[in-house]
Amino acid sequence: TRPKVFVTRAGLPEAGLKLLQDECDVDIWEKTNPIPKSELMARIKNVDGVLCLLTDKIDDEVLNAAGSKLKVIATMSVGVDHLDLKAIKSRNIPIGYTPGVLTDATAELTMALLLATSRRLIEANRAIYKGEWVSWSPTWMTGGKLSGSNIGIVGLGRIGLRVAEYLKGFGVAKILYTSRTEKPTATAIGAVHVDLDTLLRTSDFVIVTTALVPETKELFRKETFEKMKNTAIFINVSRGEVVHQPSLIEALKNNKIRAAGLDVMTPEPIPLDSELLKLDNCVITPHLGSASIETRAEMCVISAKNVLAVLHNKPGEMPAKYNY
Ligand code: GLV
Ligand code: GLV
């Protein structure tokens, strides 16, 4: 009999889905919104594998509902903070994820946010439609620039490193970074490993690319923003929970920092009455880091292959197994 696989969302790229459907009985949540937990618990029962997204919380309760046949969890994301790693590990279930293939796309979106915030693209674009473009004016809509600036990358991994590489082409002055260990690949391009306080006090742009883990939850809070330059621009492309959002809003409102560019926030989607949406100095994108067409297709293919490798009893052949 064919293995059973549950896919938690409709509308996944075809290429990956087909790989699964060729070999497995695939059940798919039919809607394009996140599956409610109760539905997930019902549909995951007795499956051999699950392909999930970052919007699906897989915890002890869900794992209990799945039962003992569950052999693999493949998330179509690089982040694994939605997975209860302890509960999954205690059941010896391998996790597949999608690092690497989304590095370029996410680093490109990071560049878009850096440029949009420093050169006030969204604010300036809106000004045209509001009839505020009176004339070319010497200081109207002027902002910062990347060239000659100090960059700080918090939690430098693959994505942070790629951003650093791109920024070299912009002629930045210094690239500082934090990470648990010094990275030879970063040192090789002249980036300097520093402590967080040094990074915060020195940087004109503070870019967050860290994973969300207990040590990085609300790493950015009142005291953190206070250490930053009041001309600094804050960019977050990791997870909203890395930031204590009310403190960020307060810092933006009171010009304790100049601007923020956020691809992630809390909650997602952001409610339309959120203070964040009222700020001219905040550029928001709806969690689109990996959202290039090719990247999303590759993520789906890798996720399918992660599932299939385990169902073939060859976990060693998973294209991307998460080590935990
Ligand atoms: C996106 O946030 C991802 O984790 O892939
Ligand atoms: C994600 O892939 C990272 O390590 O930055």
Side-chain angles (χ1 to χ4, degrees):
T1 67
R2 283 153 56 103
K4 288 191 175 58
V5 173
F6 183 58
V7 173
T8 62
R9 190 76 66 86
L12 259 61
E14 272 304 316
L17 212 48
K18 184 159 186 316
L19 289 178
L20 286 180
Q21 284 166 333
D22 283 347
E23 297 188 44
C24 311
D25 285 338
V26 182
D27 180 29
I28 305 173
W29 168 243
E30 36 290 292
K31 301 190 186 159
T32 50
N33 60 325
I35 185 168
K37 186 169 182 178
S38 58
E39 295 277 351
L40 176 59
M41 286 172 61
R43 300 279 285 268
I44 203 174
K45 205 178 244 338
N46 294 326
V47 300
D48 299 282
V50 62
L51 194 168
C52 70
L53 310 182
L54 58 87
T55 46
D56 305 309
K57 214 171 162 49
I58 310 281
D59 60 13
D60 211 50
E61 256 189 309
V62 172
L63 293 164
N64 280 341
S68 58
K69 280 178 73 188
L70 186 62
K71 292 171 198 65
V72 57
I73 297 168
T75 181
M76 194 176 129
S77 63
V78 66
V80 295
D81 48 280
H82 53 300
L83 307 177
D84 183 337
L85 299 179
K86 206 166 148 231
I88 298 170
K89 199 181 181 93
S90 74
R91 291 164 172 86
N92 276 317
I93 299 173
I95 295 174
Y97 71 139
T98 66
V101 290
L102 46 61
T103 303
D104 297 346
T106 309
E108 286 177 14
L109 196 273
T110 309
M111 295 306 302
L113 288 174
L114 283 163
L115 292 165
T117 47
S118 60
R119 301 300 299 275
R120 305 168 65 180
L121 290 196
I122 309 300
E123 186 188 355
N125 178 265
R126 282 197 201 114
I128 299 173
Y129 294 93
K130 288 194 275 185
E132 291 170 5
W133 184 13
V134 178
S135 161
W136 187 97
S137 313
T139 58
W140 186 62
M141 283 293 167
T142 49
K145 68 179 173 45
L146 289 169
S147 166
S149 68
N150 293 334
I151 305 289
I153 302 176
V154 177
L156 181 137
R158 298 172 202 82
I159 295 166
L161 181 65
R162 190 61 50 84
V163 170
E165 288 165 354
Y166 292 168
L167 282 168
K168 298 227 23 137
F170 280 79
V172 297
K174 266 191 222 170
I175 302 178
L176 309 176
Y177 73 96
T178 63
S179 75
R180 262 173 289 193
T181 56
E182 189 166 339
K183 308 269 167 100
T185 45
T187 309
I189 62 162
V192 181
H193 189 240
V194 293
D195 59 54
L196 183 61
D197 273 17
T198 305
L199 184 149
L200 295 170
R201 293 187 201 284
T202 315
S203 300
D204 300 299
F205 295 88
V206 174
I207 307 169
V208 183
T209 61
T210 182
L212 173 63
V213 290
E215 303 81 62
T216 58
K217 190 172 159 64
E218 300 191 349
L219 178 62
F220 282 83
R221 49 189 186 271
K222 193 164 188 288
E223 309 87 85
T224 328
F225 291 114
E226 273 165 7
K227 287 174 188 158
M228 288 167 60
K229 296 186 182 183
N230 59 11
T231 51
I233 291 183
F234 177 76
I235 304 289
N236 187 8
V237 294
S238 67
R239 286 291 180 268
E241 289 82 354
V242 170
V243 176
H244 180 249
Q245 200 160 277
S247 298
L248 172 60
I249 292 170
E250 204 264 332
L252 287 168
K253 268 189 167 166
N254 299 318
N255 300 310
K256 289 189 184 152
I257 61 172
R258 182 179 277 163
L262 310 174
D263 189 44
V264 291
M265 60 224 81
T266 47
E268 294 176 13
I270 188 88
L272 287 180
D273 62 358
S274 167
E275 286 283 320
L276 268 187
L277 302 182
K278 300 190 178 94
L279 300 168
D280 275 338
N281 56 350
C282 186
V283 171
I284 303 184
T285 49
H287 205 147
L288 295 179
S290 66
S292 88
I293 298 163
E294 294 89 341
T295 301
R296 288 285 170 83
E298 281 184 86
M299 287 165 72
C300 188
V301 167
I302 287 178
S303 302
K305 289 183 177 170
N306 279 333
V307 170
L308 291 173
V310 179
L311 297 186
H312 292 156
N313 280 319
K314 290 178 177 163
E317 290 177 15
M318 288 169 83
K321 182 175 177 179
Y322 182 76
N323 292 317
Y324 72 115

